[in-house]
Amino acid sequence: MKFQHWFFTVVILAGCSGILLIKERSKDFERSRELIAFRQVGHQVLLSAKDSTSRVLPVSRSSENQYQLEFEKPFAIVPDSLVKTVNQVMQHNSISSDYVVNVFDAGNRLVYGFAISKSSDNIVPCLGRVLPEKKYTIKITPEAQSLSILSRDKFTFFAFLLVIGVSGATYLGRRKNVPHVSSQPVAGARAVSIGEYSFYPESFLLLHNNNPTVLTPKENKLLCIFSTDLNKIIDRNRLLKEGWEDEGVITQRSLDMYVSKLRKKLLHDPHVKITNIHGKGYCLSTS
C-alpha cells in the first residue's frame, strides 16, 4: 500500500478518534448535570418534610448508573412527594423515563421504593403513608443507556476503525490502478479483428462500425485470452487462472457471469459467438 493510502487510513482513524473524545466529554458533562439535578430531589424532599435548614450532603454515584442522596439530619419521608419530585426532575432534565428509586435506613435496610417505566406498569406502593423520622439514604437508578461498541470494548472499536481505514485505502489503491478509458482508442493502439469488431486491448475498447463499447478490466482480460486463440476451445481452468490470478479468488460463477456480459457486447455481429463446450471450456468463434 502506498504512502498516500496509509495517510488516508490515519486520517480516518484520527477523525473517528476525535468524534470519540467529543462523545466521551459529552457523557461526562451529562453525568455532572445529573448529579446537580438529583441534588434538587434532595432539596425538595427536605422541604416536603418541613425542613428548610439542614443540608443535603454531596450527591455521589454508588455504581456506574446509580446516584446516592444522603442527608445531614433525620427527617420524615412523604412517599407521595418523593414520587412526584423525582418524576418532575427526570422529565424536566430529560434524564430517563424509566427508573427505580430505593430508600434505605441507617441500617442499610430497604424501607421504601418504587419503579417507573414507560413500557410497562409502574410500581408505586404505600402512597399516603408517611415514613417515620430517620436518617435515610435515597438511591436513584435511571435506566442504563445502551452503550456503543466503544464503551464496551475500546480495543474492538479501534480494531473496527482500522479495518475500515485499511479497506478504504485498499479500495482507493485499486481504483487508481483501473486504467482510464474513453470512447476512442489511443492513437497508434493495436487493433485485433474479431469478425466485424475491432478490439483495442490497451484502450479497453470494442468498436463495431465506429460505435464504441467500453469494456471493464475483467471483460478486457478475458477477451484478450479469447482473441489470442480465436475458434479454439479454451479450458475453463486457464480462463480462471489468467483472469483472476492477481486476486487469489477463483470462482466458476464469476467466469460465467463475465462471459455472459461479453456475449451481450458481441451481439451486433451474428457470426461472432462465445460457445460453452460442456466439460471443457469456451470457444470464441467468428464464423
Side-chain angles (χ1 to χ4, degrees):
M1 192 184 298
K2 294 183 179 180
F3 171 77
Q4 57 265 40
H5 303 148
W6 279 114
F7 178 76
F8 174 78
T9 302
V10 171
V11 169
I12 288 180
L13 291 176
C16 293
S17 298
I19 293 172
L20 158 66
L21 293 175
I22 291 172
K23 287 187 175 181
E24 285 292 317
R25 284 195 290 269
S26 176
K27 185 168 65 175
D28 290 340
F29 172 80
E30 287 300 322
R31 284 178 173 170
S32 298
R33 183 170 168 272
E34 288 171 4
L35 286 171
I36 298 172
F38 289 132
R39 189 172 182 81
Q40 185 180 358
V41 171
H43 171 68
Q44 292 297 332
V45 166
L46 289 181
L47 289 180
S48 69
K50 311 300 182 182
D51 182 348
S52 60
T53 59
S54 65
R55 293 187 305 124
V56 179
L57 299 181
V59 181
S60 61
R61 290 217 325 266
S62 54
S63 66
E64 177 67 21
N65 205 51
Q66 187 178 78
Y67 296 85
Q68 182 168 300
L69 284 73
E70 296 181 277
F71 303 87
E72 182 182 26
K73 296 179 181 180
F75 65 97
I77 285 186
V78 182
D80 305 62
S81 176
L82 178 61
V83 172
K84 180 181 178 181
T85 298
V86 175
N87 187 53
Q88 286 177 342
V89 169
M90 286 288 187
Q91 291 186 1
H92 181 72
N93 295 280
S94 302
I95 296 174
S96 177
S97 58
D98 292 52
Y99 54 91
V100 174
V101 177
N102 288 317
V103 180
F104 296 85
D105 63 15
N108 202 33
R109 292 170 298 193
L110 179 64
V111 295
Y112 182 69
F114 62 92
I116 303 297
S117 176
K118 185 178 181 180
S119 58
S120 60
D121 293 336
N122 297 331
I123 305 173
V124 187
C126 302
L127 293 178
R129 299 173 182 269
V130 179
L131 300 182
E133 187 173 295
K134 289 184 180 181
K135 201 164 187 180
Y136 294 109
T137 298
I138 300 174
K139 294 184 179 181
I140 304 175
T141 309
E143 182 184 33
Q145 299 298 318
S146 58
L147 299 178
S148 66
I149 186 174
L150 169 66
S151 300
R152 296 194 302 267
D153 188 342
K154 288 183 172 60
F155 175 79
T156 302
F157 181 80
F158 279 108
F160 173 74
L161 287 183
L162 182 60
V163 170
I164 294 296
V166 171
S167 299
T170 302
Y171 172 76
L172 286 183
R174 288 184 176 177
R175 285 290 300 271
K176 288 193 71 174
N177 290 331
V178 174
H180 173 73
V181 293
S182 67
S183 60
Q184 295 297 323
V186 176
R190 175 181 59 90
V192 178
S193 295
I194 305 175
E196 297 175 359
Y197 290 93
S198 295
F199 172 42
Y200 293 87
E202 297 175 3
S203 304
F204 289 64
L205 205 61
L206 195 62
L207 292 182
H208 182 266
N209 293 332
N210 290 323
N211 293 317
T213 299
V214 176
L215 301 175
T216 67
K218 192 68 63 183
E219 293 168 348
N220 193 72
K221 184 176 289 187
L222 289 177
L223 192 55
C224 281
I225 300 171
F226 280 125
S227 64
T228 57
D229 288 303
L230 284 173
N231 302 309
K232 294 181 181 179
I233 298 174
I234 301 176
D235 187 82
R236 294 177 67 92
N237 290 331
R238 176 189 167 190
L239 291 169
L240 287 168
K241 182 178 183 302
E242 295 183 19
W244 278 264
E245 62 184 352
D246 59 341
E247 298 179 17
V249 179
I250 297 178
T251 161
Q252 299 280 347
R253 182 173 297 180
S254 293
L255 173 60
D256 295 338
M257 179 185 70
Y258 279 105
V259 168
S260 176
K261 289 182 177 181
L262 278 177
R263 282 196 183 108
K264 291 178 182 179
K265 293 183 177 181
L266 294 169
L267 285 176
H268 296 295
D269 185 348
H271 300 292
V272 176
K273 297 179 181 178
I274 301 178
T275 307
N276 182 16
I277 311 300
H278 184 69
K280 294 184 179 180
Y282 288 98
C283 176
L284 175 61
S285 59
T286 57
S287 59

